[in-house]
Amino acid sequence: MNNEPLFLYRAFKEDEHANQFLKGKIRFGLLDYYKNSEDDSRRDPFEGESSTYSGQLHLKGGLCNPAYLLCTSGPDVDLNYLREKFGNYVVKITNPGQFRDDISNIKAFIPDVSISGNCDFKKVEYTKDQDQPIGVEGTVRLRLYYCQKHSWFSPECEYRYVIKLKIGNIPGNFISCDVQKKLDYLAMI
């Protein structure tokens, strides 16, 4: 990925969940789950929809394939904000690209799930409902479905690891995997 950050953060409300993450036990949440999440800090009723304007045209869309997210925050996030909103237990990912590569092998760890492609790693764009050029290339527009949010979410400085499943394959609101190796680039801060 161009302009890949040097490090990322992942916050947890529970110490146990942070420690599981440090051991390589990773949990992804279904994109659609966050539309109606019971957790107010994570709820976004517009999640999974792209929405842009180009002149007089209002373009909206969504992804038919189920997508699962692992949400992180970039180096510019205010750590006090992150802890207040998402939890006091913060893990630093010092090699985001290697982490993506390690979880791209998730197919071997979740045998009953049909994954479509590798793990995608993208910075969230805070451009929902804003004016943008209409000539956006198809794969870029596709990524807006799972990496576009309203500007009021911008303090999160979010980056997402995204796993897309084949159509018709929704194992639940969360999928978990164990990358089955020590991840030396993860540390509690």
Side-chain angles (χ1 to χ4, degrees):
M1 172 182 166
N2 295 340
N3 301 319
E4 189 171 282
L6 294 176
F7 58 87
L8 297 169
Y9 299 109
R10 173 78 170 126
F12 299 88
K13 290 186 177 176
E14 303 289 333
D15 181 47
E16 178 184 342
H17 296 161
N19 283 310
Q20 288 175 353
F21 188 81
L22 288 167
K23 294 175 183 172
K25 292 174 178 33
I26 313 299
R27 187 174 97 153
F28 295 81
L30 181 64
L31 181 68
D32 288 341
Y33 168 80
Y34 296 103
K35 287 183 179 186
N36 302 306
S37 174
E38 305 92 34
D39 184 346
D40 289 340
S41 68
R42 298 186 186 272
R43 184 179 311 126
D44 178 359
F46 306 103
E47 190 68 81
E49 301 171 2
S50 69
S51 180
T52 58
Y53 288 87
S54 185
Q56 299 295 321
L57 294 175
H58 183 194
L59 307 170
K60 286 185 129 182
L63 182 66
C64 294
N65 293 61
Y68 285 82
L69 312 174
L70 174 67
C71 302
T72 62
S73 292
D76 294 332
V77 73
D78 178 322
L79 286 176
N80 290 326
Y81 170 85
L82 186 68
R83 284 186 167 105
E84 183 177 304
K85 184 161 185 184
F86 297 114
N88 286 322
Y89 304 97
V90 178
V91 173
K92 187 174 185 179
I93 304 166
T94 59
N95 193 336
Q98 183 61 52
F99 187 58
R100 178 202 54 236
D101 294 346
D102 287 339
I103 60 179
S104 283
N105 294 320
I106 196 170
K107 295 173 195 170
F109 308 133
I110 306 177
D112 297 330
V113 174
S114 298
I115 295 172
S116 178
N118 288 327
C119 179
D120 205 359
F121 175 59
K122 295 294 168 202
K123 183 176 185 176
V124 168
E125 295 182 31
Y126 300 102
T127 59
K128 193 165 282 193
D129 289 332
Q130 294 181 15
D131 195 31
Q132 295 184 5
I134 197 166
V136 177
E137 187 257 319
T139 56
V140 172
R141 196 170 337 132
L142 171 67
R143 289 185 181 116
L144 288 179
Y145 301 144
Y146 53 83
C147 285
Q148 184 189 47
K149 296 185 81 152
H150 284 103
S151 61
W152 60 78
F153 288 101
S154 64
E156 297 174 8
C157 303
E158 190 174 347
Y159 286 79
R160 290 179 168 181
Y161 292 90
V162 182
I163 296 172
K164 297 169 294 300
L165 303 186
K166 294 183 180 174
I167 293 177
N169 188 2
I170 303 177
N173 286 331
F174 300 96
I175 55 174
S176 297
C177 69
D178 183 344
V179 296
Q180 300 179 345
K181 71 181 218 178
K182 184 166 174 42
L183 304 177
D184 294 327
Y185 49 81
L186 300 181
M188 188 84 81
I189 60 166

